[in-house]
Amino acid sequence: MPARVFFKSVMKSLFLIAFLGLSVSFASCNSDNEKLPEEEQPVQPGDSDGDTVSDILWDNSHDYFMGLKGHPVKMVEKRIQEEEGERIEVPYVYFFNGQGNLTKYDPSGMSEQESRWVPVDARVYTYQYDEAGKLAGAGIQTIGAPEDELTYTLEYGSHDLYVPLPFSVGTLDFVLQKGVTEVKENGVSILTCDGTNTVSYSGEEGMGFFKLKVEGTYRYDGHKYPVSLEETKSMSGVTVSKKTVKYTFDENGFLLASETLTDMSGEYEMPEGTCYKKEVLTYQPGGYMMTQKAVVDYVNAIEGMESENHYTLQYWYNDKLLLTGITKTVSDSMSGEDAEESYSYASYDEKENWTEARYRWNTDVDEGHLTGEFTVQREFTYGE
């Protein structure tokens, strides 16, 4: 097996293990109230509980992004699966400050429960804020591996650009922070913003021998939000993949559409365009990263490995902005079969946050999901 093929297989396996152990969904639903996301402009989180909501999406708090109401100071989300008489319970624990921003995310629940299965590479995430309430730093601690601890510090300037953070905030993978000029990881600069048109970042991805060098540049072209991204990944000086992204934001920072083209030909030492994946996504206006539709095209023209996969994902929501289902429609028999996932709801608390849901996942819809049914329960603690 060629070294790069082996590398790809290993990295995909490691990613899947980490995703299944650490990911958490905020999706919920009421299947009796399903509708297409574009049918109406829904009420936003915070509108019904007296909170002031900024018109600019990224000036709001993290609990707003997560669709939570009432500013909880703690949320414990438990994903429960029962199979062949065995009960598997995985807790995810979130802590918030008085402004609704995350201060700690524990996706393994280690601080709450010690005697249970722990996901591979379980991590605990912490976040710090300055006196003005701006994000000042973050930390990522790998359970049982203190030598792998990462510490991030942020510096700000007077510019008005909204800068993508190089780390996730809880389960929020794409967060824009206004005015950031530099981010350091363990004291080393990994992201800089010139304050006018460009944000550049660099770092490493993977582990052990299979570490990739990652370099990327966001461009703004006179806008407050990025309009494009160019990213390359390389190993030992050889380009493994190239990614380009085009973004469409509205004037208030809500993402309306994105188009991503990832060329993976370098993994097989083949010319560009030999193996690629294209994803075109549209989003629900007025919500945080709420996908309406995804059109995906994967093409591999390498001799002996020829394959294509073309499909569309449609996302369904109710009038509470809660995900009720995902349907996958393939364009031909070579792309597999149609499939679907569903999310149904049972109860809410006095703040109108859901407290129990039922997930029906399908690997054919999302390869990061185990096929099966899960009960998801959430417990909230609110401040005075």
Side-chain angles (χ1 to χ4, degrees):
M1 177 181 294
R4 299 197 180 283
V5 176
F6 174 72
F7 166 76
K8 179 180 179 183
S9 175
V10 170
M11 291 304 297
K12 283 188 174 180
S13 298
L14 291 171
F15 172 79
L16 181 59
I17 291 172
F19 187 97
L20 293 174
L22 300 178
S23 66
V24 56
S25 172
F26 296 98
S28 57
C29 65
N30 180 344
S31 58
D32 295 332
N33 200 16
E34 287 186 2
K35 59 183 66 181
L36 281 171
E38 60 266 27
E39 286 185 357
E40 65 178 52
Q41 184 69 32
V43 174
Q44 292 298 303
D47 290 351
S48 63
D49 55 15
D51 292 340
T52 300
V53 176
S54 173
D55 290 336
I56 304 298
L57 170 64
W58 306 105
D59 292 343
N60 289 294
S61 59
H62 299 148
D63 59 1
Y64 174 88
F65 298 159
M66 296 165 62
L68 302 178
K69 298 182 179 182
H71 284 325
V73 296
K74 181 180 179 182
M75 178 178 75
V76 180
E77 178 171 310
K78 297 179 181 179
R79 189 172 301 157
I80 304 167
Q81 184 179 32
E82 296 184 9
E83 186 174 348
E84 297 180 354
E86 183 179 1
R87 178 185 174 97
I88 301 175
E89 182 176 308
V90 182
Y92 303 81
V93 187
Y94 305 77
F95 294 89
F96 303 87
N97 62 18
Q99 287 70 49
N101 290 317
L102 274 168
T103 58
K104 182 178 180 181
Y105 169 52
D106 182 357
S108 64
M110 287 296 292
S111 60
E112 304 295 322
Q113 185 176 349
E114 299 293 343
S115 58
R116 66 163 197 87
W117 173 77
V118 178
V120 175
D121 291 340
R123 296 178 174 90
V124 175
Y125 303 76
T126 56
Y127 306 94
Q128 301 82 43
Y129 301 85
D130 62 19
E131 294 181 355
K134 292 190 299 185
L135 182 65
I140 303 176
Q141 177 188 0
T142 301
I143 302 299
E147 68 278 6
D148 293 336
E149 183 172 355
L150 299 174
T151 300
Y152 297 93
T153 55
L154 285 72
E155 296 183 9
Y156 292 86
S158 58
H159 68 80
D160 292 329
L161 300 187
Y162 285 80
V163 177
L165 295 177
F167 53 84
S168 62
V169 180
T171 54
L172 307 172
D173 292 328
F174 187 75
V175 176
L176 304 184
Q177 194 77 18
K178 183 179 179 180
V180 172
T181 57
E182 186 177 22
V183 178
K184 294 181 179 180
E185 179 185 274
N186 292 346
V188 178
S189 180
I190 61 169
L191 178 148
T192 58
C193 175
D194 65 7
T196 57
N197 189 58
T198 303
V199 172
S200 301
Y201 63 89
S202 62
E204 291 185 336
E205 182 178 287
M207 60 185 68
F209 176 75
F210 299 106
K211 281 190 176 181
L212 295 174
K213 183 179 181 179
V214 183
E215 297 176 297
T217 301
Y218 292 96
R219 301 193 185 280
Y220 288 75
D221 294 347
H223 299 271
K224 293 191 297 185
Y225 315 106
V227 298
S228 66
L229 165 67
E230 296 180 356
E231 181 186 88
T232 61
K233 295 182 180 181
S234 60
M235 184 170 63
S236 300
V238 178
T239 299
V240 174
S241 67
K242 292 183 177 180
K243 180 172 71 174
T244 59
V245 186
K246 297 178 181 178
Y247 300 102
T248 302
F249 289 89
D250 71 9
E251 62 182 2
N252 291 323
F254 290 91
L255 185 59
L256 303 180
S258 65
E259 180 178 317
T260 303
L261 178 63
T262 305
D263 192 304
M264 300 162 283
S265 307
E267 295 185 20
Y268 307 97
E269 300 181 351
M270 300 295 290
E272 287 187 30
T274 308
C275 180
Y276 67 87
K277 182 178 182 180
K278 182 179 180 181
E279 299 174 275
V280 179
L281 280 69
T282 54
Y283 298 87
Q284 164 71 40
Y288 169 80
M289 304 290 290
M290 294 175 57
T291 308
Q292 286 181 335
K293 186 178 182 179
V295 179
V296 181
D297 297 289
Y298 171 82
V299 175
N300 187 341
I302 298 174
E303 185 176 356
M305 300 175 59
E306 295 91 342
S307 64
E308 294 190 22
N309 193 4
H310 308 275
Y311 60 90
T312 299
L313 298 175
Q314 177 69 57
Y315 295 74
W316 305 82
Y317 299 85
N318 62 18
D319 59 359
K320 296 180 183 293
L321 292 182
L322 304 174
L323 184 66
T324 59
I326 308 172
T327 56
K328 177 181 180 180
T329 304
V330 300
S331 60
D332 54 63
S333 59
M334 297 293 292
S335 299
E337 300 180 353
D338 294 350
E340 64 180 19
E341 291 187 345
S342 65
Y343 303 80
S344 59
Y345 239 106
S347 61
Y348 298 81
D349 67 8
E350 69 279 3
K351 301 290 186 179
E352 299 184 6
N353 291 315
W354 64 265
T355 54
E356 184 168 335
R358 188 74 173 172
Y359 294 176
R360 291 177 175 87
W361 279 358
N362 190 330
T363 302
D364 291 334
V365 173
D366 186 334
E367 63 181 16
H369 288 175
L370 281 175
T371 296
E373 296 188 6
F374 302 82
T375 297
V376 184
Q377 297 176 344
R378 298 199 301 187
E379 300 175 1
F380 293 91
T381 302
Y382 299 96
E384 298 296 333

